[in-house]
Coordinates of all heavy atoms in Angstrom, one line a residue:
L136 N 1.8 7.7 0.5 CA 1.6 9.0 0.0 C 0.5 9.1 -1.1 O 0.4 8.2 -2.0 CB 2.9 9.6 -0.6 CG 4.1 9.8 0.3 CD1 5.3 10.3 -0.5 CD2 3.8 10.8 1.4
D141 N -2.2 20.1 -8.8 CA -3.2 21.1 -8.8 C -3.8 21.3 -10.2 O -3.0 21.6 -11.1 CB -2.5 22.4 -8.3 CG -3.5 23.6 -8.2 OD1 -4.7 23.4 -8.5 OD2 -3.0 24.7 -7.7
C147 N -0.8 29.6 -18.3 CA -1.9 30.5 -18.5 C -2.1 30.4 -20.1 O -1.2 30.0 -20.8 CB -1.6 31.9 -18.1 SG -0.3 32.6 -19.0
S169 N 14.2 33.5 -29.9 CA 13.3 34.2 -29.0 C 14.1 35.3 -28.4 O 15.2 35.2 -28.0 CB 13.0 33.1 -28.0 OG 12.3 33.8 -26.9
D247 N -2.7 61.5 -24.4 CA -3.6 62.5 -23.8 C -3.0 63.3 -22.7 O -3.6 64.1 -22.0 CB -4.9 61.8 -23.2 CG -5.8 61.3 -24.3 OD1 -5.6 61.7 -25.5 OD2 -6.7 60.4 -24.0
V263 N 9.3 46.9 -19.2 CA 10.1 47.6 -20.2 C 9.3 47.8 -21.5 O 9.3 48.9 -22.0 CB 11.4 46.7 -20.6 CG1 12.1 47.3 -21.7 CG2 12.3 46.5 -19.4
N270 N 7.6 56.7 -24.3 CA 8.9 57.3 -24.5 C 9.8 57.2 -23.3 O 10.6 58.1 -23.1 CB 8.6 58.8 -24.9 CG 9.6 59.3 -25.9 OD1 10.4 58.5 -26.4 ND2 9.6 60.6 -26.2
Q352 N -3.9 24.0 1.3 CA -4.4 23.7 2.6 C -5.0 22.3 2.7 O -5.1 21.7 3.8 CB -5.5 24.8 3.1 CG -4.8 26.0 3.6 CD -5.7 27.2 3.8 OE1 -6.8 27.2 3.3 NE2 -5.2 28.3 4.4
N367 N 5.8 35.7 -11.5 CA 4.5 35.0 -11.1 C 4.7 33.9 -10.1 O 3.9 33.7 -9.2 CB 3.8 34.6 -12.4 CG 2.7 33.6 -12.2 OD1 2.9 32.4 -12.4 ND2 1.6 34.1 -11.7
N379 N 0.3 27.3 3.7 CA 0.8 26.0 4.2 C 2.3 26.1 4.3 O 3.0 26.1 3.3 CB 0.4 24.9 3.3 CG 0.9 23.6 3.8 OD1 1.7 23.5 4.7 ND2 0.4 22.5 3.3

Side-chain angles (χ1 to χ4, degrees):
L136 295 179
D141 183 359
C147 63
S169 164
D247 288 347
V263 173
N270 211 6
Q352 280 167 350
N367 159 257
N379 182 346

